[in-house]
Amino acid sequence: MAKVLITGGAGFIGSNLAHALVDENDITIVDNLSMGKKENIADIDVHFCEHDVCDTKFMHQLLSENNFDYIYYLAAVSSVADSVARPLETHRVNQESVIDILEYIRLKKLPIKRFLFTSSAAVYGNLPDFPKKETSHVQPLTPYAVDKYASERFTIDYGRLYGLPTVAVRFFNVYGPRQNPDSPYSGVLSIITKCMKNNQIFTLYGDGSQTRDFVYVGDVVRALIKVATDTNEPTVYNVADGGETPLIDVIHSYEDISGKRLKIEFKETRNGDITKSKADISKLRGIGFKPKWTLREGLKQYWAYNLTI
Ligand code: UD1
């Protein structure tokens, strides 16, 4: 049984990862519950520590008392808007806490098998290269993107310079069960789900023609485990579906699946909104990963989950 640490493990992606790993692994979760929820992990047997990853004293003690095999680093302030409003505080979470852990692992020569950092498609910014490859130019336009990019590079450099077993991924638009819809900057599908369920009006910024590479969280979890366990290089992988769908088409499919009509109010495009997004996932496919969930199947599963809660 491997010992696994998931920071941000009570959050959306982290809790789905914990559910997937719990039967065969000994899992510790560190989460300050800023976005995560205890209910997300209430039904699984894990060691839960309600702590901030910026509490370095606590994190060092946790690492020295446990010989973790795998560390999945998902803790972050994931709101881009929050990073614009509070750049220094979010920097501490999104960058400093990551370097601190890497440095502790290096100095104490902790015998980890893999440290996986989760970065974001935000690092690509608004450049025209299309679809986005890991080698495409980056343009981190916000403190969130700058920190994700820097932490990703630190993670890779700790592998290249000091031989730590590190790797990183860049998430595209992840959706599915346990995504928190409570901020205006939450993932659009979590907001749409909430509006559909409660017959609320959904504000669509733009005309709905903006495209995104939506990837179901079940596939994201499979990709994370594969990258952490089946690769060796300190490098970065796009984690996405590789498809591209206009937002309005997603809404229509979802209406079809749920049998509900979404009430839409159209508003001006959001400042800085990206018009087109799609990942090239050939690098991920190159390690044997294939997405299993079509958008339709993913939406069906997500809607079915929402009817149970
Ligand atoms: C996503 C990430 C963001 C990252 C960016 C980089 C999420 C939640 N956000 O933003 O961290 O910087 O990729 O590529 O994964 N929309 C509406 N109404 C709403 C909410 C959203 O119309 O109430 C629209 C947005 O304007 C956007 C689309 O839906 O055009 C998707 O929005 P969102 O889910 O926030 O994701 P990204 O903008 O792609």
Side-chain angles (χ1 to χ4, degrees), residues 78-80 120-125 142 144-145 171-174 179 183-192 195 202-206 210-212 214 247 251 268-270 272-275 277:
S78 60
S79 160
V80 175
S120 164
V123 304
Y124 294 117
T142 58
Y144 173 80
F171 291 140
F172 280 68
N173 290 74
V174 188
Q179 190 165 27
S183 136
Y185 290 91
S186 293
V188 69
L189 278 165
S190 69
I191 298 175
I192 291 174
C195 290
F202 170 70
T203 306
L204 202 165
Y205 301 104
Q210 63 264 52
T211 64
R212 291 294 183 271
F214 289 102
L247 184 55
I251 292 173
E268 281 289 289
T269 300
R270 265 183 191 170
D273 203 33
I274 292 167
T275 47
S277 175

Side-chain angles (χ1 to χ4, degrees), residues 26-268:
D26 178 9
I27 297 183
T28 300
I29 286 175
V30 175
D31 199 303
N32 68 355
L33 301 181
S34 58
M35 276 296 271
K37 292 187 183 141
K38 248 180 149 170
E39 304 95 87
N40 286 344
I41 47 169
D43 55 341
I44 51 174
D45 186 15
V46 297
H47 312 283
F48 175 62
C49 312
E50 186 176 340
H51 264 278
D52 198 306
V53 285
C54 294
D55 183 347
T56 53
K57 205 171 149 215
F58 166 77
M59 290 303 289
H60 294 175
Q61 193 175 345
L62 183 77
L63 288 178
S64 67
E65 285 174 357
N66 293 273
N67 273 331
F68 292 117
D69 297 300
Y70 294 93
I71 300 175
Y72 291 91
Y73 209 94
L74 288 109
V77 177
S78 60
S79 160
V80 175
D82 204 6
S83 82
V84 175
R86 303 184 301 132
L88 182 58
E89 282 147 289
T90 59
H91 168 74
R92 293 199 169 109
V93 183
N94 292 346
Q95 193 182 145
E96 285 181 11
S97 74
V98 184
I99 307 170
D100 184 79
I101 289 237
L102 287 167
E103 186 63 356
Y104 191 76
I105 295 169
R106 176 174 87 98
L107 294 177
K108 299 288 172 185
K109 299 187 169 57
L110 298 182
I112 58 161
K113 293 204 170 80
R114 213 72 196 280
F115 176 93
L116 184 153
F117 176 71
T118 53
S119 180
S120 164
V123 304
Y124 294 117
N126 242 332
L127 293 171
D129 322 31
F130 204 72
K132 300 296 180 190
K133 273 178 103 76
E134 291 84 351
T135 49
S136 297
H137 288 103
V138 297
Q139 185 193 42
L141 294 169
T142 58
Y144 173 80
V146 169
D147 284 332
K148 282 290 182 187
Y149 188 59
S151 298
E152 171 199 308
R153 297 335 285 180
F154 268 107
T155 298
I156 290 167
D157 278 356
Y158 266 77
R160 294 195 180 144
L161 298 172
Y162 312 116
L164 257 59
T166 61
V167 70
V169 297
R170 292 176 182 161
F171 291 140
F172 280 68
N173 290 74
V174 188
Y175 71 96
R178 306 190 188 90
Q179 190 165 27
N180 183 338
D182 294 334
S183 136
Y185 290 91
S186 293
V188 69
L189 278 165
S190 69
I191 298 175
I192 291 174
T193 303
K194 190 176 163 197
C195 290
M196 270 192 181
K197 229 182 135 175
N198 304 328
N199 292 316
Q200 290 162 346
I201 295 169
F202 170 70
T203 306
L204 202 165
Y205 301 104
D207 59 4
S209 64
Q210 63 264 52
T211 64
R212 291 294 183 271
D213 188 331
F214 289 102
V215 56
Y216 186 63
V217 69
D219 275 336
V220 169
V221 164
R222 292 174 52 241
L224 287 174
I225 297 170
K226 188 147 195 69
V227 167
T229 55
D230 286 0
T231 69
N232 302 305
E233 290 296 301
T235 184
V236 65
Y237 293 88
N238 282 340
V239 169
D241 175 70
E244 185 192 5
T245 316
L247 184 55
I248 197 75
D249 291 5
V250 179
I251 292 173
H252 290 147
S253 301
Y254 209 15
E255 286 182 325
D256 196 31
I257 286 161
S258 65
K260 291 223 172 200
R261 252 190 94 69
L262 183 67
K263 292 179 197 146
I264 303 177
E265 174 191 31
F266 288 87
K267 281 209 179 148
E268 281 289 289

